[in-house]
């Protein structure tokens, strides 16, 4: 059953070693993520599921490894505890590697698994994935990773699109209200919003249960919409 969720963005720049000299620029974002993770763990989940965008749809077991060598730093992470021989290859997509890093930073040592969802995954299947995750333990916590539009400014990864700010405002309002619904999947794709599918998995997991929602961060420091939110029952 759904117990709580932390919604965070997943830029590798969250990891200070990756950001290097620019690391202090995201201190506020890291603090907001810490708050959201703290609330998630205070809900005492029996299992934490890490959900993030990826090129392919797939589950990652506890112990799966990831890292940031492709970003120029020799930093490795693991999705929860595992023996030294488990999932030795760096199989985690970048989003789940950031999620594993956030969980390590928060001190989580309990059961964990990962789910990658591609941007083409349609809403009904996202919702079905969420229901399945919520039914996988008595109390399930979700770390939901993804970002808003990557087209907020001319310096954004996708250049400027005048629809981006309005789209992100809808997302921020939904996360603050604890209610994700009716996101425009085609528009999200055009705006390079990687969080659309993970947020719809969250909506499926939450179902009709009432939640206390708090939006902890809403900004676009690099022309990409970053949100941090906490949902607790």
């Amino acid at each position: 059953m759904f117990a709580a969720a932390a919604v965070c963005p997943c830029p590798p720049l969250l990891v200070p070693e990756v950001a290097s000299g620019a690391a202090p620029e995201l201190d506020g974002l890291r603090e907001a993520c810490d708050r959201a993770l703290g609330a998630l763990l205070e809900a005492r989940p029996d299992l934490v599921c890490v959900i993030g965008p990826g090129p392919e749809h797939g589950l990652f077991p506890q112990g799966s490894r990831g890292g940031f060598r492709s970003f120029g730093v020799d930093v490795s992470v693991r999705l929860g505890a595992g023996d030294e021989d488990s999932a030795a290859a760096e199989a985690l997509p970048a989003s789940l590697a950031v999620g594993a890093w956030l969980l390590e930073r928060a001190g989580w040592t309990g059961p964990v698994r990962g789910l990658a969802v591609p941007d083409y995954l349609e809403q009904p299947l996202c919702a079905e994935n969420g229901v399945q995750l919520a039914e996988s333990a008595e109390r399930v916590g979700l770390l939901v990773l993804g970002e808003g539009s990557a087209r907020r400014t001319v310096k954004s990864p996708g250049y400027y699109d005048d629809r981006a700010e309005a789209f992100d405002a809808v997302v921020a309002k939904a996360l603050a209200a604890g209610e994700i619904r009716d996101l425009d999947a085609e528009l999200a794709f055009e705006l390079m919003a990687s969080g659309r599918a993970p947020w719809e998995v969250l909506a499926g997991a939450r179902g009709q249960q009432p939640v206390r929602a708090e939006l902890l961060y809403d900004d676009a420091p690099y022309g990409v919409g970053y949100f941090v939110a906490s949902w607790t029952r």
Side-chain angles (χ1 to χ4, degrees):
M1 182 178 294
F2 174 81
V7 177
C8 298
C10 50
L13 288 173
L14 268 178
V15 180
E17 292 88 342
V18 175
S20 187
E25 296 177 6
L26 293 183
D27 281 348
L29 178 58
R30 293 186 192 93
E31 291 170 5
C33 291
D34 290 344
R35 288 179 59 194
L37 265 293
L40 170 63
L41 301 190
E42 285 176 6
R44 303 175 69 85
D46 301 308
L47 169 70
V48 171
C49 296
V50 183
I51 306 152
E56 297 181 0
H57 189 200
L59 288 166
F60 292 84
Q62 180 162 320
S64 296
R65 294 179 181 271
F68 303 97
R69 291 186 180 89
S70 61
F71 298 94
V73 295
D74 188 15
V75 175
S76 297
V77 292
R78 176 184 284 170
L79 195 63
D83 60 58
E84 289 304 313
D85 296 327
S86 67
E90 292 194 357
L92 293 175
S95 68
L96 297 189
V98 172
W101 179 83
L102 285 169
L103 280 180
E104 288 181 3
R105 178 179 168 96
W108 175 250
T109 58
V112 59
R113 66 184 59 161
L115 172 67
V117 285
D119 57 13
Y120 58 77
L121 206 67
E122 296 180 350
Q123 186 276 334
L125 187 52
C126 290
E128 181 182 335
N129 280 193
V131 171
Q132 292 171 349
L133 291 178
E135 293 176 347
S136 61
E138 185 67 26
R139 294 182 60 78
V140 176
L142 304 180
L143 172 53
V144 184
L145 301 152
E147 291 147 22
S149 174
R151 307 190 69 175
R152 289 279 291 269
T153 72
V154 295
K155 294 184 178 180
S156 299
Y159 198 67
Y160 175 71
D161 189 304
D162 60 7
R163 302 170 296 174
E165 188 170 350
F167 176 86
D168 283 354
V170 169
V171 173
K173 184 177 180 180
L175 291 173
E179 184 71 48
I180 296 286
R181 61 181 177 182
D182 300 328
L183 292 180
D184 187 328
E186 183 176 350
L187 179 59
F189 179 80
E190 292 175 0
L191 295 176
M192 303 171 64
S194 67
R196 193 276 307 172
W199 298 329
E200 289 185 338
V201 174
L202 167 60
R206 179 234 166 179
Q208 300 302 313
Q209 299 176 74
V211 296
R212 295 185 297 274
E214 184 178 6
L215 184 65
L216 302 172
Y217 189 95
D218 173 14
D219 203 355
Y222 300 120
V224 180
Y226 292 162
F227 311 102
V228 179
S230 172
W231 289 12
T232 56
R233 289 184 57 204

